[in-house]
Amino acid sequence: MRSVIWPADAVPTEAPLAMPTQCLSAAPEQRPIQALDLRRRRAILLVFTIILSLAASIVMAGAFAADRITVLELVALPLFASLFAWTAFSCASAAAGFVAMWREDATREGAAPRLTSRNAVLLPVYNEAPGPVFARLAAMLESLRTAGALENFDVFVLSDTRQHAVAVEEREAYDGLCARFAGQARIHYRRRVENTDRKAGNIAEWVRRWGGAYDHMVVLDADSLMTGDTLVRLAGAMEAEPDLGLLQTVPMIINARTLFARLEQFASRLYGPMFARGLEWWSGAESSYWGHNAIIRVKAFAEQAGLPHLRGPRPFGGAIMSHDFVEAALLRRAGWEVRLASRLGGSYEESPPSLIDQIVRDRRWCQGNLQHIAVIAARGLHPLSRFHLLRGLSTYLTAPLWLGLLIVGLLLSAFPSLAGAEEAAVSAFEHTPTGLVLSVSLALLLAPKLMAWALLLRNGQASGFGGGTRAFFSVCFETVVSTMIAPIVLFAQTRSVIEILTGRDCGWATQRRDMDKVTLSDTFRAHRQEAAFGLILVLVGLIFAPEAFIWIAIPALALTFAFLLSAWTAEDAGDLILLETPETRRPPRLLDRALKLRSAATVASLASSNTPAISLPLPAGLGYETA
């Protein structure tokens, strides 16, 4: 490693802004706002979910009661009702997005506004490979220059990097970026000595030191990419709407190389806009925040979003990990609007390259969302903010519910005496009405995908996905593979919930963005618990309930061979003709420019340095790195 003198931070004169820690047991005074009344829309979703879930539960209860209802069946019924209600609500929300998009005119947006505000673009980084990060940042600055808005945006790279070699490369990349935009853009770099409270603390420190000089801040992730036009429109919306505290874009996944990432990219691009439009339709000014690719009113954030530490030891106590939902809830509590800009494009992010990486990231999200148990009851929160927190929490609690239902269903089929039946053939899970309910459940899962495909044809966008026919087969392929992946993810989430409930803290592992190769030994080590559990399901099903094995075949086999599926989806997708998106067929100028700058930065780095390329290690099994 080269011997270097550590350079000082490159920051502007401080403009302090007070950011008091918020009290969850006392509500602040609320600003009066004139938000659209959406109670009727929300009532429609709620009534649909309740009626459909109640009908399905009654049918299941009737099937169970055909003989005599048992303890296991009493356990199965609420598990089924909870999971069905979750599925029904998600489908209803997607259907709302479908109807809204079907009725909308696909007209082009008007001219971008002329800005008068001062805006900061905040890029927090933590042990990230600097080349790709600064290449994306350079592309965004060029796009802002093209939009004629460089003077309205200052850039801050906020480093929490702990690895010295990475920090050295960060500063060198920063110096190169400054040289590229000398006299054109104001670009700053600050590296914290201690990464207190991680990303949330990183942003909060910036607010307290420099927030007073800015009207709005655009918060990014290390893999974020946004067009200059989108940044200008976000700032223009904040200027035009004084009650708006936060405006969240809907990032599309880009630069996917592996099959797993391509599946995520395709789903994000085809289904994502419809789901986001549905969320916007019923959430209105009480939407949520995903922690990046969003613009925030600095003064409102400083006054209302100072996060407290939760009582007790980790994993439930300490700093709030999933801070974004909580910050949005606190802003709305004080009367600021939190909205979703579902129809604004030009916002991008990247996806984990493998199922293993997805599970590692999901483990951190699981712990952060379970912490919200201590936040949901905070005084003064809007009911819909509580719902968002509860919905995020239930995302992970449904995993053990699903696993429990799978086990109970297998036991009822394998051992008919437990169901009060003489023969396995009369198990409730094999009654015709029950089969109808399960078919409806499947239809609720598949309907949003078909609705998104229909919108594709309706709006004349099929060519971006390779044509209507290829897009349809891509939907089919994505559905089959994601159906096999789902039991693995649910099993991992169940394990995460158990670990957290038993007091295990996951820390904060560095997110890997790129990957060359995952071996079978890597995936077997990571998925050995899934394989063992899946094999047990297969053996019990085939030996004791062969007639009912069809009901558990997919999850049982997917878990048994999880390591093979994980290794296969981690392979480079190469020239796969399916799963195409408009960004893969004809990359927008911003994406193309970012990739070219990234390639140039990599070549320059290798040519000028003997420092080894930065490579993040593959997680050993499912042992999570503790920061």
Side-chain angles (χ1 to χ4, degrees):
M1 183 183 297
R2 292 166 292 167
S3 176
V4 298
I5 299 176
W6 185 250
D9 291 343
V11 295
T13 302
E14 293 194 9
L17 184 62
M19 187 174 181
T21 300
Q22 297 301 303
C23 178
L24 299 182
S25 59
E29 183 178 348
Q30 188 175 89
R31 303 172 66 256
I33 60 173
Q34 299 297 321
L36 184 65
D37 187 352
L38 300 180
R39 284 178 294 184
R40 185 169 176 269
R41 295 181 180 183
R42 294 163 187 170
I44 290 173
L45 292 183
L46 187 61
V47 169
F48 173 86
T49 302
I50 291 175
I51 290 177
L52 198 59
S53 301
L54 188 60
S57 299
I58 290 173
V59 170
M60 289 295 290
F64 284 141
D67 303 295
R68 59 180 177 83
I69 198 162
T70 66
V71 173
L72 274 181
E73 290 170 337
L74 286 174
V75 171
L77 191 57
L79 292 177
F80 166 80
S82 301
L83 293 171
F84 190 94
W86 171 264
T87 305
F89 180 84
S90 297
C91 183
S93 180
F98 170 78
V99 173
M101 293 180 71
W102 191 274
R103 291 177 174 177
E104 285 171 356
D105 292 330
T107 54
R108 296 179 61 85
E109 295 175 323
R114 296 186 65 84
L115 302 180
T116 59
S117 57
R118 288 199 68 190
N119 305 279
V121 176
L122 308 185
L123 179 59
V125 291
Y126 174 67
N127 294 337
E128 298 280 348
V133 171
F134 282 86
R136 285 188 287 267
L137 189 52
M140 282 189 278
L141 286 168
E142 289 183 359
S143 185
L144 273 172
R145 183 171 59 193
T146 301
L150 266 180
E151 64 180 11
N152 296 103
F153 291 85
D154 293 5
V155 172
F156 288 80
V157 179
L158 305 178
S159 175
D160 262 352
T161 292
R162 310 263 59 87
Q163 298 176 17
H164 180 73
V166 180
V168 169
E169 291 199 31
E170 275 179 7
R171 184 54 199 252
E172 290 176 346
Y174 165 75
D175 290 340
L177 188 68
C178 289
R180 176 184 290 271
F181 292 94
Q184 303 176 59
R186 293 179 294 273
I187 311 169
H188 310 289
Y189 175 87
R190 187 270 287 132
R191 180 172 180 251
R192 290 202 296 174
V193 176
E194 299 292 337
N195 63 332
T196 305
D197 294 349
R198 304 183 178 95
K199 181 179 178 179
N202 199 353
I203 299 297
E205 184 191 277
W206 178 88
V207 171
R208 293 185 174 109
R209 293 181 64 184
W210 296 286
Y214 297 93
D215 299 297
H216 318 119
M217 59 182 183
V218 177
V219 180
L220 304 177
D221 260 357
D223 61 351
S224 295
L225 189 62
M226 298 178 72
T227 66
D229 181 75
T230 296
L231 290 169
V232 169
R233 291 182 187 277
L234 287 173
M238 300 297 280
E239 291 182 12
E241 301 181 51
D243 290 333
L244 187 56
L246 187 151
L247 187 60
Q248 172 71 63
T249 67
V250 182
M252 295 292 107
I253 294 175
I254 55 170
N255 297 336
R257 290 176 44 234
T258 64
L259 177 57
F260 180 83
R262 286 280 296 274
L263 290 163
E264 295 287 304
Q265 178 178 267
F266 178 80
S268 162
R269 188 63 175 84
L270 183 56
Y271 317 140
M274 184 184 70
F275 276 98
R277 185 69 184 92
L279 175 60
E280 182 184 26
W281 181 82
W282 58 262
S283 63
E286 292 81 38
S287 193
S288 197
Y289 170 41
W290 302 326
H292 59 93
N293 291 44
I295 191 167
I296 305 172
R297 195 174 301 275
V298 176
K299 186 174 183 290
F301 190 82
E303 291 176 350
Q304 305 299 337
L307 298 180
H309 280 202
L310 301 178
R311 294 179 180 178
R314 294 191 295 182
F316 286 101
I320 298 175
M321 296 176 67
S322 292
H323 55 89
D324 39 18
F325 275 40
V326 180
E327 290 161 345
L330 293 177
L331 283 170
R332 187 62 189 87
R333 179 174 77 161
W336 292 99
E337 294 187 11
V338 177
R339 292 191 174 276
L340 180 63
S342 67
R343 286 160 283 188
L344 182 63
S347 180
Y348 309 98
E349 63 177 337
E350 296 186 6
S351 169
S354 73
L355 180 56
I356 295 175
D357 292 289
Q358 174 69 26
I359 290 173
V360 169
R361 185 177 73 170
D362 206 46
R363 172 62 171 82
R364 185 176 73 239
W365 287 354
C366 178
Q367 181 170 326
N369 283 21
L370 290 183
Q371 281 185 312
H372 293 166
I373 292 173
V375 180
I376 289 177
R379 295 289 297 275
L381 293 186
H382 191 281
L384 205 61
S385 296
R386 298 188 202 277
F387 177 74
H388 286 310
L389 292 169
L390 181 62
R391 194 167 180 234
L393 172 66
S394 64
T395 297
Y396 294 95
L397 293 183
T398 54
L401 293 181
W402 166 83
L403 189 63
L405 184 62
L406 181 66
I407 293 173
V408 169
L410 179 59
L411 290 175
L412 289 174
S413 297
F415 305 103
S417 60
L418 298 176
E422 293 296 329
E423 298 179 4
V426 297
S427 168
F429 283 86
E430 297 174 57
H431 278 281
T432 299
T434 307
L436 176 61
V437 170
L438 295 177
S439 298
V440 171
S441 301
L442 182 61
L444 292 174
L445 291 170
L446 294 178
K449 297 175 187 267
L450 296 177
M451 286 189 285
W453 178 72
L455 280 175
L456 188 73
L457 303 180
R458 163 75 165 76
N459 296 332
Q461 298 172 340
S463 61
F465 294 81
T469 301
R470 187 181 297 181
F472 177 78
F473 283 110
S474 294
V475 169
C476 295
F477 180 71
E478 183 276 332
T479 300
V480 170
V481 180
S482 63
T483 299
M484 294 188 293
I485 289 175
I488 305 170
V489 173
L490 290 168
F491 184 90
Q493 289 177 343
T494 302
R495 178 175 52 214
S496 296
V497 170
I498 293 172
E499 289 175 352
I500 293 164
L501 293 178
T502 54
R504 182 177 175 185
D505 175 42
C506 74
W508 195 277
T510 301
Q511 179 67 55
R512 184 175 47 188
R513 312 289 179 187
D514 298 299
M515 180 174 55
D516 292 325
K517 182 70 175 178
V518 173
T519 65
L520 277 176
S521 61
D522 292 328
T523 58
F524 185 78
R525 186 171 62 250
H527 298 294
R528 57 185 181 274
Q529 294 179 11
E530 288 93 325
F533 183 75
L535 188 59
I536 291 172
L537 290 179
V538 170
L539 292 176
V540 171
L542 289 178
I543 294 172
F544 296 100
E547 300 88 351
F549 184 69
I550 188 174
W551 295 107
I552 65 161
I554 291 179
L557 293 174
L559 289 167
T560 303
F561 299 106
F563 67 101
L564 293 176
L565 187 62
S566 184
W568 174 53
T569 55
E571 294 286 339
D572 194 309
D575 297 326
L576 180 68
I577 63 171
L578 297 177
L579 306 179
E580 291 188 322
T581 66
E583 288 74 25
T584 59
R585 291 178 63 83
R586 185 174 296 178
R589 172 177 165 75
L590 178 72
L591 273 63
D592 186 58
R593 183 60 178 156
L595 288 174
K596 288 179 179 177
L597 289 169
R598 176 175 177 172
S599 299
T602 301
V603 172
S605 175
L606 294 176
S608 62
S609 170
N610 293 323
T611 303
I614 296 171
S615 177
L616 298 177
L618 183 71
L622 289 176
Y624 303 98
E625 176 187 346
T626 299

